Amino acid sequence: MANIKNRKFIALDISGKNYLSWVLDVKLHLSAKKLRHTIDEDNAASNEERDTALIFQRHHIDDGLKYEYLTVENPLELWQNLNDRFEYLKAVVLSNALNDWSQLRFQDFKTVAEYNSTLFKIVS
């Protein structure tokens, strides 16, 4: 439980339900730490940079995923493995958003604020 307090954001769930937001969070944090290049193809990252990025990634994934990818020692490889596993979610989210967009009607909401909130949720 103490481990949760040290996390910068919510860990990637084993089901992948928060994968899309997790990807954005990891990219932002790695960029802030000047480690974003460690998850890019053909990078020239030092061993120390790779280790730091891998520790950060592993710290922000579910324990079940951590054990599944225990032998992965490169942050790029872990990034690609998780992408291969959860990439399909983009298509699912997009189709759901398109469906929600087509059914969005202003008259279904009591206030403009509720409509705007729903609209921005679909857009994001």
Side-chain angles (χ1 to χ4, degrees):
M1 290 300 277
N3 201 18
I4 292 173
K5 292 180 183 177
N6 295 332
R7 289 191 175 138
K8 305 289 184 199
F9 49 87
I10 297 174
L12 175 60
D13 188 67
I14 195 161
S15 68
K17 66 182 177 184
N18 63 335
Y19 175 71
L20 298 175
S21 63
W22 180 85
V23 165
L24 293 173
D25 289 338
V26 169
K27 284 182 179 179
L28 287 172
H29 279 79
L30 289 178
S31 293
K33 294 177 181 244
K34 307 279 191 266
L35 295 171
R36 172 82 182 262
H37 63 282
T38 60
I39 58 171
D40 294 334
E41 292 281 339
D42 300 325
N43 65 67
S46 68
N47 287 338
E48 183 180 337
E49 290 174 326
R50 285 190 189 115
D51 292 344
T52 303
L54 185 62
I55 289 167
F56 181 81
Q57 286 175 315
R58 290 178 52 80
H59 185 69
H60 290 88
I61 61 175
D62 183 79
D63 286 340
L65 289 171
K66 203 177 290 187
Y67 293 125
E68 188 171 335
Y69 297 107
L70 193 62
T71 59
V72 176
E73 296 180 356
N74 186 336
L76 174 60
E77 186 180 348
L78 178 59
W79 185 260
Q80 289 171 336
N81 287 343
L82 293 172
N83 186 48
D84 292 344
R85 181 176 181 150
F86 298 118
E87 180 70 20
Y88 75 93
L89 292 173
K90 286 183 181 178
V92 172
V93 170
L94 178 59
S95 66
N96 287 343
L98 290 173
N99 184 43
D100 291 346
W101 179 258
S102 68
Q103 295 180 8
L104 184 67
R105 297 181 333 171
F106 185 73
Q107 62 201 32
D108 292 339
F109 298 91
K110 292 181 181 177
T111 65
V112 173
E114 289 178 13
Y115 175 79
N116 278 341
S117 176
T118 303
L119 176 70
F120 288 128
K121 194 179 295 184
I122 292 170
V123 170
S124 68

